[in-house]
Amino acid sequence: MEPAESWDADDKLSGQFTKLNVDAPVFVPSFMSPPGQPAPGSGSLPDSQDILDKESPLSETNNNGEPPADWECVNADDSSSPSRENPSPEEGISPEEEIAPKPKKEKKRVEEGPRKQHLNLVFIGHVDAGKSTLGGQLLYLTGMVDKRTLEKYEREAKEKNRESWYLSWALDTNQEERDKGKTVECGRAYFETDNKHFTLLDAPGHRSFVPNMIGGACQADIAVLVISARKGEFETGFERGGQTREHAMLAKTAGVKHLVVLINKMDDSTVNWSETRFNECRDKLLPYLKKCGFNPKTEVVFMPCSGLNGAGLKDPVSSSECPWYSGPAFLPYIDDLKPIERYLDGPFIMPVVDKYKDMGTVCYGKVESGMCDRSDQLLLMPNRKIVEVLQLWNDEDEVQQVKSGENVKVKLKGVEEEEVSAGFVLCDIEKPCKVAKIFDAQVVILEHKSIICSGYSAVLHIHAAVEEVSVKAIICLVDRKTNEKGQMKPRFVKQDQAAIMRLETAGVVCVEPFKLFPQMGRFTLRDEGRTIAIGKVLRVVE
Ligand SMILES: Nc1nc2c(ncn2[C@@H]2O[C@H](COP(=O)(O)OP(=O)(O)OP(=O)(O)O)[C@@H](O)[C@H]2O)c(=O)[nH]1
Ligand SMILES: [Mg+2]
């Protein structure tokens, strides 16, 4: 995308980004502050502290269908919601596949044996920055891919005149990706270090595949922003239209709180481990990352490396080559990160990233809250289907239980593969997420040439869901600096403005107010292949 003209010129937006991703209580991982503690400098909308105090994150709002008259009304509705009723599980179940709900036993869940802490990493950055190569190298260095396999890749890649791409083949597994040397789908793999288990999500860098990148970012705890230091490549990636900025901003909007910036290709002959080049890349990136809302002191770290030869990944770069860097290598650094608070006691919630058929319907994605055991019953939203858990995997290891923070596969009984789509959510049968077509949201317009009026439509990306959405009404403008309400019922909003809008999706989507469940309440709007706005759900209407 071409970011808003004002991103460089206007520091005010940075505050807005920060605000959009703060106040995330227990669901957003944070290494630096205890859960529930707003990030420094965060303003809060006057709407929702009392929602946070409610026991259940699940509540209904009134259904008047009309945009609220004013800002206060939005807030009042939010905070005075009655508690969610138990759903009637029978609703919407087709008779031929119906699973009878089991009588609810008061089951005290016991956490299954000790497992390494689970962290989800997404590799992001401009096309050809070296994400897949780095990923392949990490899989090799951690023993997940053996030398023989790599040698085979090397031979085959050579036949395609893509010799230097062989490491990326560990993650770029389909023919098209290997032929073109471009990742299309988000690659998935895992590896372990002494203390942690990592799910590695290798996002595509090409602008055409940004929607796939968003799908990876929404499962991530940490983003690894890969930057090519090679002459000319850093520049192309970072300039307007390059994906470096867009990916960093999308990762922030997806809830990523910690960014490791790998300055890659340091071995390249145009770089030669130059300290000056490393500093140049870092100094140009930092102000922008700050604008995206990352705290440069506590949430961002820069490291030099070479994905191609592995330098700086497992062991520190040799001091003869790189005497100026004394920081940690990548693997020891991520192994040492503070554990992330996970919301284990909450209702089970897992947005489905994708699915396939394998003697049953297998869904995968990241568990955002709670736990689930084999043979449990779950509710698949939004179609309210009762399903039974036949088998569970934590990445590729079969397990009896999965829990918040893990990237898992779930084999289900009671639903056909064709009936599940990305963006569906597996929920606790008694406390499912909300489903809606209409919701009110605070939206910041990042980039859009013309004005946006009611009736404008775009593509909504919210957790793993992608849905067409249109603006039903613009409720009021919001001052970007103070977060106070501005003009009521403006006729339009334009680039760099923030507004509260009523949005309507074409189909039903699973959403929650941001304050209650950030991971299901933050979203991106895209139009004609560009990210035009980001936002958070304030209130679910109907
Ligand atoms: N010299 C050098 N070249 C590298 C390094 N890492 C990657 N490359 C080369 O950069 C090219 C692109 O690498 P990929 O790993 O496919 O890049 P990517 O970021 O995954 O690209 P997309 O998936 O298309 O976004 C390949 O030719 C790699 O060999 C490195 O550390 N040093
Ligand atoms: Mg790639």
Side-chain angles (χ1 to χ4, degrees):
M1 83 170 210
E2 272 143 32
E5 283 299 311
S6 64
W7 279 13
D8 288 325
D10 187 354
D11 254 332
K12 288 177 270 179
L13 255 186
S14 68
Q16 198 61 57
F17 286 136
T18 313
K19 283 167 194 160
L20 278 168
N21 289 285
V22 294
D23 305 332
V26 275
F27 297 96
V28 169
S30 170
F31 296 100
M32 306 307 157
S33 56
Q37 192 171 302
S42 63
S44 66
L45 288 168
D47 58 340
S48 42
Q49 194 49 51
D50 31 352
I51 307 175
L52 294 179
D53 300 336
K54 282 198 194 303
E55 197 168 86
S56 160
L58 311 164
S59 56
E60 296 290 353
T61 50
N62 70 359
N63 271 357
N64 59 17
E66 282 297 304
D70 60 23
W71 168 267
E72 280 75 19
C73 179
V74 173
N75 304 334
D77 281 350
D78 248 357
S79 53
S80 63
S81 323
S83 287
R84 168 177 294 204
E85 301 285 310
N86 290 347
S88 75
E90 293 78 15
E91 243 179 87
I93 298 169
S94 54
E96 66 279 11
E97 287 151 14
E98 183 172 335
I99 292 186
K102 287 181 195 164
K104 169 94 178 159
K105 281 182 280 187
E106 254 328 304
K107 176 170 160 189
K108 178 96 185 111
R109 269 187 208 283
V110 185
E111 224 182 299
E112 196 183 52
R115 286 217 280 266
K116 287 185 176 180
Q117 296 157 33
H118 197 127
L119 268 188
N120 299 278
L121 298 179
V122 66
F123 281 49
I124 59 173
H126 192 69
V127 66
D128 282 352
K131 300 175 290 297
S132 305
T133 300
L134 262 163
Q137 182 68 258
L138 288 169
L139 295 180
Y140 172 64
L141 292 173
T142 53
M144 301 305 293
V145 175
D146 60 30
K147 212 171 169 71
R148 270 191 38 211
T149 310
L150 281 186
E151 282 166 359
K152 184 170 157 273
Y153 289 160
E154 202 168 354
R155 278 196 307 277
E156 291 171 8
K158 204 170 179 174
E159 283 164 21
K160 290 184 193 275
N161 282 329
R162 290 215 166 266
E163 195 175 352
S164 73
W165 261 266
Y166 77 101
L167 278 162
S168 72
W169 282 25
L171 285 149
D172 289 341
T173 47
N174 76 42
Q175 211 53 47
E176 185 195 353
E177 292 180 320
R178 289 180 175 185
D179 288 348
K180 298 197 174 141
K182 303 247 174 308
T183 306
V184 177
E185 307 266 352
C186 230
R188 300 172 75 87
Y190 69 97
F191 61 89
E192 296 204 333
T193 54
D194 291 346
N195 300 307
K196 292 194 175 70
H197 174 107
F198 293 92
T199 298
L200 191 170
L201 303 153
D202 173 36
H206 195 277
R207 61 186 306 160
S208 307
F209 311 126
V210 169
N212 296 349
M213 175 271 165
I214 295 174
C218 73
Q219 304 165 63
D221 304 306
I222 298 174
V224 180
L225 177 61
V226 182
I227 302 294
S228 168
R230 183 183 280 165
K231 193 170 177 200
E233 287 190 358
F234 167 71
E235 287 72 14
T236 326
F238 188 58
E239 69 196 13
R240 294 170 199 290
Q243 266 52 58
T244 304
R245 295 161 184 248
E246 182 176 25
H247 278 200
M249 192 272 298
L250 287 170
K252 183 67 188 170
T253 311
V256 164
K257 276 279 191 125
H258 200 79
L259 197 63
V260 180
V261 186
L262 287 181
I263 308 289
N264 190 32
K265 307 199 187 180
M266 291 297 290
D267 64 290
D268 187 80
S269 58
T270 64
V271 187
N272 235 336
W273 296 95
S274 152
E275 181 181 13
T276 316
R277 181 61 165 167
F278 178 88
N279 289 345
E280 182 191 357
C281 298
R282 184 196 56 202
D283 296 346
K284 284 192 173 146
L285 284 162
L286 251 183
Y288 177 76
L289 298 176
K290 213 166 127 186
K291 281 180 191 172
C292 286
F294 289 105
N295 182 332
K297 290 209 176 77
T298 55
E299 294 174 347
V300 185
V301 64
F302 290 81
M303 294 177 188
C305 74
S306 162
L308 198 59
N309 66 26
L313 295 181
K314 192 172 182 182
D315 300 314
V317 197
S318 78
S319 56
S320 58
E321 215 160 26
C322 187
W324 47 269
Y325 178 75
S326 56
F330 178 69
L331 282 171
Y333 176 80
I334 55 172
D335 182 52
D336 217 29
L337 283 170
K338 280 189 205 158
I340 291 186
E341 292 288 338
R342 303 293 190 189
Y343 195 54
L344 295 173
D345 297 331
F348 184 79
I349 295 182
M350 179 194 134
V352 175
V353 169
D354 213 343
K355 44 88 197 250
Y356 59 89
K357 205 182 260 184
D358 181 17
M359 317 230 297
T361 302
V362 183
C363 297
Y364 58 89
K366 179 185 171 195
V367 182
E368 293 290 354
S369 160
M371 299 185 212
C372 154
D373 294 341
R374 200 176 161 146
S375 83
D376 276 1
Q377 286 190 341
L378 297 172
L379 198 62
L380 182 67
M381 298 298 274
N383 54 358
R384 293 191 180 277
K385 228 173 194 268
I386 297 181
V387 291
E388 188 174 318
V389 176
L390 294 178
Q391 257 176 306
L392 288 167
W393 293 265
N394 177 21
D395 275 320
E396 299 299 323
D397 297 333
E398 189 166 353
V399 289
Q400 296 298 315
Q401 181 183 67
V402 295
K403 51 182 185 280
S404 177
E406 295 179 342
N407 219 301
V408 307
K409 290 195 293 186
V410 187
K411 187 182 280 189
L412 299 171
K413 184 175 141 188
V415 67
E416 293 298 326
E417 185 249 359
E418 301 78 32
E419 296 172 283
V420 190
S421 299
F424 279 23
V425 179
L426 282 166
C427 299
D428 183 312
I429 219 158
E430 303 215 324
K431 292 177 189 158
C433 64
K434 287 199 183 75
V435 295
K437 279 185 82 171
I438 301 178
F439 56 89
D440 295 337
Q442 184 172 347
V443 178
V444 183
I445 314 298
L446 302 175
E447 180 203 15
H448 196 60
K449 291 207 171 66
S450 45
I451 54 170
I452 291 177
C453 310
S454 60
Y456 170 78
S457 62
V459 179
L460 169 80
H461 291 258
I462 186 161
H463 56 91
V466 183
E467 189 66 53
E468 200 168 310
V469 71
S470 62
V471 177
K472 219 169 138 62
I474 304 170
I475 295 163
C476 66
L477 295 178
V478 177
D479 186 299
R480 298 196 323 244
K481 246 198 234 157
T482 62
N483 228 359
E484 297 289 325
K485 69 173 174 176
Q487 185 192 345
M488 299 304 300
K489 297 191 177 171
R491 283 191 33 246
F492 61 85
V493 266
K494 55 183 200 296
Q495 187 166 305
D496 301 333
Q497 286 186 324
I500 293 181
M501 297 179 181
R502 179 155 289 187
L503 299 175
E504 179 167 16
T505 50
V508 283
V509 280
C510 297
V511 287
E512 289 287 348
F514 177 85
K515 289 276 182 176
L516 297 182
F517 199 102
Q519 214 48 32
M520 287 178 64
R522 48 161 69 91
F523 61 85
T524 307
L525 297 181
R526 303 194 86 240
D527 188 8
E528 292 180 348
R530 290 164 182 228
T531 301
I532 63 136
I534 54 177
K536 58 181 181 181
V537 176
L538 298 177
R539 193 177 84 105
V540 174
V541 179
E542 62 180 44

